[in-house]
Amino acid sequence: MRGTTVSYDSINFKARALGDRSAGHAGKDANAPAGAPNIRHLNETRRALLTEIDNAKFSWFHVKVAFVSGAGFFTDAYDIFAINIVSVMLGYLYGTGIDSNFSDLPHRSLTTSQEVGIKIATPAGVLFGQLLFGWLADVLGRKRIYGMELMLIIVATFGQTLCAPGIGISMIGILTFWRFMMGIGIGGDYPISAVISSEFSSVYIRGRVMTAVFANQGWGQLCATLFSFIIVSTYKRSFIHDDAPGVLRALDQIWRLIIGLGCIPGAIALYFRLTIPETPRFTIDIERNIRQAGRDLSVLLVESETYTVDPDAVGKRVIARQATRDDFRSYFSRWANLKILIGTAYSWFALDIAFYGLGLNSSTILSAIGFGSPKKGLAPGAAVYQNLHNASLGNIILSMAGLVPGYWATFIFIDRWGRKPIQFMGFAVLTVLFLIMGFAYDRMNATSGGRAAFVVLYCFANFFQNFGPNTTTFIIPGEVFPTRYRATAHGISAASGKFGAVVAQLAFQWLKDVGGPNKFLDHILEIFAFFMFTGILSTLLIPETNQKTLEMLSNESQDDFIQPVPASDYASSGYLSEFEPTPIRLHPLESPGSPSRPPTAFSARGRRKGTSVSSHGERFASMSDLSVNS
């Protein structure tokens, strides 16, 4: 911890958490060291504001947070999983045998290295983005960088649609680059959206708000397959009746349309992300500006709470915990904190081994079991159409039957059962399902009834991934760490998951054809079962976060969060001597008749940063403000 020059001024704040108790602490603490601020009162003020957040009723603002954060996850999932069907089209256009006769078109595909490059580029970018933006969100603030990741996603997605082959450059290489850049933006969305939805939510609805945000991943994955199905069906006439150049032209247009549509939801959400206020917890604990946190908090409260500022203030110095290398090592060197980070990181790693192993290769698995394979004897264009049509339809079934319902089952139970039981249950059920699918793969693939049973088990696996660890591994890291490391630790946990996704893609593409085409799929499913079992063990390291405040979960004492600088340090010649307390005068309240500023998208009653609102006839309790002048 290091010294910081701060000022605190009296503000009028009508808040249930304070009541008359705060008024009793409005004066200076008689026991405070000479020259130190009323530390007890500042800690009371901080706790009161945090109590307001934790007890806030569900409001329209929570809906806005879920929508704005969720729109990003819709875009993320759409862009990630659209490659599932697009990679098949890219194989027809740029894969092996492109110089062969048109009659060989249905048998063309990307090489193993091309398929690996296309499918791991995004997870690799996501891994880097999660670490980078998670750290930046703790250093610069959530608001300051929220929206930058969405801009990167939009630009990179649009860049993919403009890719074209050339004599001196590889089409797949260009596409891989843009998908890596898109992945960086997608990675940034994970920690920032998680901590924003967590820090703005009250204790009683936090799990549901965060689940509602993350559930948009299911809608995005569904829409990727649904739009693929619709667009492919729209081009049916071209596939059946056009000549070879017409069929290839149709394929080229289809994949660009599917990818390009991913820009739309991101563009819609961009404005709202740029205008969202900073989370009160970051403002209080990192910026140490209680007055501004009170203003930002006002948009959360459904009553007409009003904040007014006393025009006089006195400069003071306090010590508060800050994010430094030494503090980071000190915090995570304690086993009670380190084991939680290990638990969240490994649980996400284990989950993504199977989640992305299946999700990015569902078309390959469906084709391997003969689900919806095209009829023999069809013309090349008609065979390509039926293969794409059936693959899209199969993925729609998987999404509707398993992926989307799983998220909303979690939504219903997350604040009743808790996070840990749902994660434990999900890993346990997935272990059993993958064991059955792996050891009985050959027997189920031998008959039509067995193949149908395999698809049913596949749907159950998707369901219990989302009604299980896929949702909880996103929620828990956004709750269990202190504010100054919340986004960083969430980024580390999420990056561990994407490392698992990269490993899964590499292993899947290189192992699936061992012993013959798709002959190793049964063993891959058995490997998935092993990692699900290890996820059960890592869940034991994670605490239950249900109905607990974020401060309680941080494993840090909140009573002395703000501490005074010892009086002897004021006169010392050490590092604190460079700070000189300076009187500060805040601007007085605007008169009732002065013109108001236009509201932002996130201002519940038209209040913006820097604007005070007075209310007549209200009864107020007195609070102190703490703001930083570094």
Side-chain angles (χ1 to χ4, degrees), residues 542-626:
I542 300 171
E544 178 54 65
T545 63
N546 188 31
Q547 307 301 316
K548 296 179 181 178
T549 68
L550 299 182
E551 286 65 42
M552 181 186 301
L553 294 167
S554 68
N555 280 338
E556 292 184 320
S557 172
Q558 302 301 306
D559 294 333
D560 56 349
F561 193 88
I562 298 173
Q563 300 177 6
V565 177
S568 58
D569 289 349
Y570 280 89
S572 67
S573 58
Y575 70 93
L576 285 176
S577 62
E578 62 182 283
F579 297 106
E580 180 179 355
T582 304
I584 295 176
R585 178 174 293 275
L586 299 179
H587 293 293
L589 291 173
E590 297 176 359
S591 62
S594 42
S596 60
R597 299 180 181 178
T600 66
F602 272 83
S603 179
R605 288 172 291 281
R607 290 196 293 276
R608 295 187 58 170
K609 181 178 179 181
T611 303
S612 301
V613 181
S614 62
S615 177
H616 302 286
E618 297 279 348
R619 179 177 180 272
F620 300 111
S622 176
M623 287 186 64
S624 291
D625 171 64
L626 180 63

Side-chain angles (χ1 to χ4, degrees), residues 2 59 198 201 208 235 287 348 392 427 470 616:
R2 62 184 178 88
S59 67
S198 172
S201 299
R208 280 167 287 175
Y235 278 82
E287 296 180 343
W348 210 329
S392 299
F427 274 129
N470 188 42
H616 302 286

Side-chain angles (χ1 to χ4, degrees), residues 37-86:
N38 187 339
I39 298 302
R40 185 175 67 176
H41 180 49
L42 294 180
N43 278 299
E44 286 290 329
T45 300
R46 173 180 176 272
R47 285 197 295 271
L49 280 172
L50 294 177
T51 300
E52 283 292 326
I53 301 172
D54 292 331
N55 294 329
K57 296 179 181 178
F58 181 76
S59 67
W60 181 244
F61 181 79
H62 293 109
V63 177
K64 288 182 178 180
V65 169
F67 165 75
V68 175
S69 300
F73 275 99
F74 179 97
T75 304
D76 299 346
Y78 183 98
D79 291 335
I80 290 174
F81 292 101
I83 201 64
N84 195 355
I85 190 70
V86 166

Side-chain angles (χ1 to χ4, degrees), residues 357-614:
L358 292 179
L360 295 181
N361 299 286
S362 55
S363 296
T364 301
I365 297 174
L366 291 174
S367 177
I369 65 173
F371 182 84
S373 299
K375 299 177 182 178
K376 295 181 179 180
L378 292 175
V384 168
Y385 166 76
Q386 194 170 87
N387 186 43
L388 295 175
H389 178 275
N390 292 343
S392 299
L393 181 60
N395 280 286
I396 291 175
I397 294 173
L398 294 178
S399 296
M400 291 291 291
L403 288 171
V404 174
Y407 287 110
W408 295 103
T410 303
F411 179 85
I412 294 172
F413 294 104
I414 189 72
D415 285 323
R416 299 181 184 179
W417 293 1
R419 288 64 156 154
K420 194 170 180 178
I422 291 176
Q423 180 165 312
F424 192 90
M425 174 199 67
F427 274 129
V429 173
L430 288 170
T431 301
V432 175
L433 288 174
F434 285 131
L435 284 174
I436 295 173
M437 293 168 67
F439 285 106
Y441 176 82
D442 290 331
R443 279 173 287 180
M444 287 190 289
N445 198 23
T447 63
S448 59
R451 287 190 289 271
F454 184 88
V455 172
V456 171
L457 292 174
Y458 200 126
C459 290
F460 274 117
N462 285 335
F463 178 83
F464 282 102
Q465 280 177 332
N466 293 329
F467 183 33
N470 188 42
T471 305
T472 55
T473 52
F474 169 80
I475 293 175
I476 295 172
E479 298 178 306
V480 292
F481 302 105
T483 302
R484 65 189 184 280
Y485 298 127
R486 188 168 292 126
T488 301
H490 193 284
I492 293 172
S493 301
S496 299
K498 292 306 166 285
F499 179 69
V502 171
V503 170
Q505 289 310 301
L506 289 172
F508 190 95
Q509 297 302 327
W510 292 104
L511 291 177
K512 69 184 180 68
D513 294 328
V514 172
N518 298 321
K519 292 295 185 180
F520 205 75
L521 283 179
D522 54 344
H523 299 303
I524 290 177
L525 293 169
E526 293 161 7
I527 293 172
F528 289 166
F530 168 77
F531 280 102
M532 297 304 99
F533 177 75
T534 62
I536 296 175
L537 302 180
S538 63
T539 301
L540 300 175
L541 299 175
I542 300 171
E544 178 54 65
T545 63
N546 188 31
Q547 307 301 316
K548 296 179 181 178
T549 68
L550 299 182
E551 286 65 42
M552 181 186 301
L553 294 167
S554 68
N555 280 338
E556 292 184 320
S557 172
Q558 302 301 306
D559 294 333
D560 56 349
F561 193 88
I562 298 173
Q563 300 177 6
V565 177
S568 58
D569 289 349
Y570 280 89
S572 67
S573 58
Y575 70 93
L576 285 176
S577 62
E578 62 182 283
F579 297 106
E580 180 179 355
T582 304
I584 295 176
R585 178 174 293 275
L586 299 179
H587 293 293
L589 291 173
E590 297 176 359
S591 62
S594 42
S596 60
R597 299 180 181 178
T600 66
F602 272 83
S603 179
R605 288 172 291 281
R607 290 196 293 276
R608 295 187 58 170
K609 181 178 179 181
T611 303
S612 301
V613 181
S614 62

Side-chain angles (χ1 to χ4, degrees), residues 87-88 90-92 94-97 105-111 114-115:
S87 64
V88 179
L90 294 174
Y92 293 144
Y94 308 108
T96 57
L105 179 65
H107 305 292
R108 296 178 187 175
S109 62
L110 295 174
T111 64
Q114 287 176 325
E115 185 116 7

